[in-house]
Amino acid sequence: MNKNVQEKLYSFIVTNLPKEPLELLAQNIILKYGVVENFLEEELVVTPKARLRPQMRRYLIDEAFCTFGGEVCHTAPRGEHYIVNQFGDITLSHVEVPHGSKVRDATHRKLLSMNNALLEP
């Protein structure tokens, strides 16, 4: 994404979204990461943790999003789900991307991003 567009998006989000829910969401996500790490350290001794860690993070971040009225939506064809939060005209969702990786294409994200078509370069 173009740096100028990214800065405009950040500015738009900061100006138009209430601060408290975003701060609480950030705190909840950090707490959920801790829950995952504690579980993996306490419960898994022999089993490799590399596959379970991102799965648990994803589902616990979903839980954090739902504490702010997030809606569970199902992908089509049904098989997975994703969470969206509505703040006025802004729809917020999430995807976790490991450092150095790219976001994989997903139909539901393409549909969500159609609202941002005017913002795309």
Side-chain angles (χ1 to χ4, degrees), residues 44-78:
L44 297 184
V45 177
V46 187
T47 307
K49 301 170 186 162
R51 183 166 170 83
L52 184 56
R53 179 179 283 115
Q55 291 174 339
M56 288 184 68
R57 284 179 176 172
R58 184 259 165 132
Y59 291 121
L60 289 180
I61 291 171
D62 283 355
E63 291 294 319
F65 264 72
C66 285
T67 61
F68 298 99
E71 177 186 348
V72 177
C73 303
H74 294 280
T75 58
R78 193 174 172 131

Side-chain angles (χ1 to χ4, degrees), residues 22 25 37 39-41 44-45 47 50-51 54 57 60 67 73 80 82 84 91 100 102 109 112 118-119 121:
L22 291 177
L25 179 60
E37 291 307 312
F39 174 84
L40 293 174
E41 289 303 314
L44 297 184
V45 177
T47 307
R51 183 166 170 83
R57 284 179 176 172
L60 289 180
T67 61
C73 303
E80 265 303 337
Y82 60 100
V84 294
T91 302
K102 292 188 176 199
R109 285 196 297 270
L112 286 172
L118 294 174
L119 303 172

Side-chain angles (χ1 to χ4, degrees), residues 1-120:
M1 179 185 310
N2 174 316
K3 190 139 182 105
N4 189 32
V5 172
Q6 188 175 14
E7 288 172 6
K8 287 180 181 178
L9 284 172
Y10 287 151
S11 176
F12 180 81
I13 290 168
V14 168
T15 304
N16 291 286
L17 287 180
K19 184 178 179 180
E20 277 188 20
L22 291 177
E23 287 177 338
L24 289 172
L25 179 60
Q27 291 172 0
N28 277 339
I29 289 172
I30 291 167
L31 289 173
K32 298 298 185 185
Y33 269 57
V35 167
V36 170
E37 291 307 312
N38 287 340
F39 174 84
L40 293 174
E41 289 303 314
E42 293 172 8
E43 302 296 330
L44 297 184
V45 177
V46 187
T47 307
K49 301 170 186 162
R51 183 166 170 83
L52 184 56
R53 179 179 283 115
Q55 291 174 339
M56 288 184 68
R57 284 179 176 172
R58 184 259 165 132
Y59 291 121
L60 289 180
I61 291 171
D62 283 355
E63 291 294 319
F65 264 72
C66 285
T67 61
F68 298 99
E71 177 186 348
V72 177
C73 303
H74 294 280
T75 58
R78 193 174 172 131
E80 265 303 337
H81 72 278
Y82 60 100
I83 309 299
V84 294
N85 286 71
Q86 197 69 39
F87 294 96
D89 292 336
I90 298 173
T91 302
L92 183 64
S93 190
H94 74 92
V95 60
E96 184 173 338
V97 184
H99 180 72
S101 300
K102 292 188 176 199
V103 177
R104 294 184 307 182
D105 285 341
T107 303
H108 71 279
R109 285 196 297 270
K110 286 180 183 174
L111 292 172
L112 286 172
S113 71
M114 286 173 51
N115 293 331
N116 300 330
L118 294 174
L119 303 172
E120 297 293 330

